[in-house]
């Protein structure tokens, strides 16, 4: 496959992911017409887990083993799946699907704020700080606290909580699960299995209400579970692995646009000038935070490559003696990349994945 074909295929996958994930909020809205928020969450996790577990064993992979790894998976499943899925469903009882997608775009801003709180974001450059402040300014514009008709209800706060939960989840996943030897398909399947169990424990609280399911509700629940949860959850891992974190981050810019357009066209949701302006400000802010991170990553990668070349050239006989282990390590890295997410310098896989997660 030549570079042009690879580029076209990569762009197509990003577009499909943006369409599927951007439509998540539309399907949640439709599913809520016959199911309670917790029921939507459980169906989404359970059916999504079933699809990925079948795919896992069909491709010859095994589920992760060991108490330690499952402990990490359970924590990640709570913050990445069970909690945000429930908060999105709760929030969309009072918030339009398009606005939900826009508020979800604040996830990378929460990631940087979390990094500052934990001390992992040190020496924040002016352009990234400006992006962070601009992004949260856009959120304030959307909420419009100076207007009595602004989106200041608990539903919008719940969706912002879901976006912040993603930030916590993928920071944790980047440190404990990614690149630890487990295939990405196995991790995806195991995480949704754990999320199903966690959601089932909460069902007696608000998930045993009577349901009113018709063809539209069933269709929405199935599409939400299979396409917008199982497939997109794993496809994101694969795009990061194959195309890199920077290309995968493009989805974060397309997702709110898709959600707003689908909400307006399919559900007839109104598009106020304030919401559109807030969305633009948020996306510009996110772009500023990503731009400097991408540039830093590229510079560090080039520096490391140059340092390695100089080291090999200057090492003489010792350098020649080290060529074989280097080759073996490279081959091992290629094999690992087919199943694991490839990290990029200065930008953890967790952060890249959180910018695209719904």
């Amino acid at each position: 496959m030549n570079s042009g074909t690879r580029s076209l295929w990569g762009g197509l996958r990003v577009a499909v992911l943006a369409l599927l994930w951007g439509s998540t909020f539309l399907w949640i809205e439709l599913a809520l017409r016959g199911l309670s928020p917790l029921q939507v969450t459980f169906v989404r996790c359970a059916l999504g887990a079933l699809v990925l577990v079948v795919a896992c064993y069909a491709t010859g992979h095994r589920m992760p083993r060991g108490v330690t790894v499952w402990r990490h998976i359970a924590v990640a499943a709570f913050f990445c799946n069970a909690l945000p899925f429930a908060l999105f469903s709760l929030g969309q009882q009072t918030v339009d699907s398009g606005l939900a997608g826009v508020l979800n775009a604040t996830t990378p801003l929460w990631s940087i704020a979390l990094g500052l709180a934990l001390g992992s974001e040190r020496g924040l450059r002016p352009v990234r700080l400006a992006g962070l402040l601009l992004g949260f300014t856009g959120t304030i514009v959307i909420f419009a606290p100076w207007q009595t008709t602004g989106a200041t209800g608990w539903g919008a706060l719940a969706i912002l909580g879901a976006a912040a939960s993603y930030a916590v989840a993928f920071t944790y996943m980047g440190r404990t699960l990614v690149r630890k030897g487990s295939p990405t398909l196995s991790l995806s399947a195991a995480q949704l299995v754990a999320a199903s169990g966690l959601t089932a424990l909460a069902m007696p609280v608000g998930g045993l209400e009577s349901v009113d399911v018709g063809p539209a509700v069933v269709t929405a629940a199935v599409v939400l579970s299979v396409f917008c949860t199982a497939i997109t959850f794993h496809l994101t891992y694969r795009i990061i692995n194959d195309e890199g974190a920077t290309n995968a981050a493009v989805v974060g810019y397309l997702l709110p646009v898709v959600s707003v357009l689908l909400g307006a066209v399919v559900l007839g949701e109104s598009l106020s000038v304030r919401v559109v302006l807030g969305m633009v400000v948020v996306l510009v802010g996110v772009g500023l935070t990503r731009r400097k991170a991408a540039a830093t990553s590229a510079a560090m990668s080039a520096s490391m490559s140059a340092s390695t070349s100089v080291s090999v050239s200057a090492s003489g006989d010792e350098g020649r003696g080290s060529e074989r282990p280097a080759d073996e390590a490279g081959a091992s890295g290629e094999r690992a990349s087919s199943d694991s997410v490839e990290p990029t310098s200065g930008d953890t896989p967790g952060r890249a994945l959180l910018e695209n997660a719904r």
Side-chain angles (χ1 to χ4, degrees):
M1 184 182 297
N2 58 44
S3 59
T5 303
R6 284 197 301 269
S7 178
L8 178 62
W9 177 241
L12 180 61
R13 288 198 299 180
V14 169
V16 170
L17 180 59
L19 178 61
L20 290 178
W21 220 322
S23 69
T24 295
F25 310 98
L26 166 66
W27 300 114
I28 290 176
E29 192 81 18
L30 294 175
L32 285 172
R33 295 180 178 180
L35 301 173
S36 71
L38 198 55
Q39 288 168 347
V40 172
T41 303
F42 177 73
V43 170
R44 183 179 181 182
C45 292
L47 281 183
L50 178 62
V51 170
L52 289 184
V53 168
V54 171
C56 183
Y57 285 101
T59 54
H61 293 92
R62 297 186 301 178
M63 298 289 281
R65 296 182 179 181
V67 176
T68 300
V69 67
W70 273 99
R71 187 185 304 121
H72 292 318
I73 287 173
V75 174
F78 176 77
F79 286 105
C80 181
N81 306 109
L83 179 60
F85 289 0
L87 289 176
F88 277 125
S89 296
L90 286 168
Q92 284 192 233
Q93 290 183 308
T94 58
V95 173
D96 287 344
S97 65
L99 180 56
V102 173
L103 294 175
N104 181 68
T106 63
T107 298
L109 304 178
W110 292 111
S111 175
I112 295 178
L114 180 62
L116 289 172
L118 296 177
S120 59
E121 282 283 353
R122 298 176 180 176
L124 192 64
R125 295 179 180 273
V127 67
R128 299 192 72 197
L129 178 59
L132 180 64
L133 296 177
L134 188 63
F136 282 119
T137 298
T139 304
I140 294 175
V141 171
I142 293 172
F143 267 69
W146 56 87
Q147 295 183 7
T148 57
T149 57
T152 56
W154 62 266
L157 292 175
I159 293 173
L160 279 180
S165 182
Y166 280 139
V168 174
F170 288 104
T171 297
Y172 183 84
M173 291 166 64
R175 294 182 177 183
T176 62
L177 291 174
V178 176
R179 292 285 291 172
K180 301 299 181 181
S182 297
T184 55
L185 182 57
S186 300
L187 288 175
S188 303
Q191 196 163 311
L192 283 183
V193 168
S196 301
L198 292 172
T199 307
L201 294 176
M203 288 294 283
V205 178
L208 301 181
E209 304 173 9
S210 59
V211 298
D212 181 19
V213 293
V217 173
V218 172
T219 300
V222 171
V223 173
L224 175 66
S225 305
V226 176
F227 293 95
C228 300
T229 301
I231 293 179
T232 57
F233 191 40
H234 180 62
L235 184 59
T236 302
Y237 274 113
R238 298 311 308 165
I239 289 180
I240 293 175
N241 182 70
D242 297 340
E243 305 296 330
T246 302
N247 288 336
V250 174
V251 180
Y253 304 98
L254 300 177
L255 187 152
V257 177
V258 172
S259 69
V260 167
L261 290 178
L262 287 177
V265 173
V266 179
L267 299 177
E269 297 174 351
S270 61
L271 279 176
S272 68
V273 175
R274 189 190 72 251
V275 170
V276 173
L277 177 62
M279 177 179 68
V280 172
V281 173
V282 167
L283 293 181
V284 170
V286 171
L288 289 176
T289 62
R290 288 292 309 155
R291 183 168 175 238
K292 179 56 67 173
T296 302
S297 175
M300 292 181 66
S301 297
S303 177
M304 291 175 63
S305 177
S307 297
T308 302
S309 299
V310 171
S311 176
V312 171
S313 299
S315 60
D317 292 337
E318 288 184 359
R320 287 190 295 272
S322 63
E323 288 176 3
R324 182 179 178 184
D327 291 341
E328 292 174 355
S332 176
E334 290 179 1
R335 290 192 298 271
S337 67
S338 64
D339 287 333
S340 304
V341 176
E342 194 72 39
T344 58
S345 177
D347 187 14
T348 64
R351 181 180 302 162
L353 183 55
L354 77 88
E355 292 181 4
N356 304 286
R358 321 291 120 254

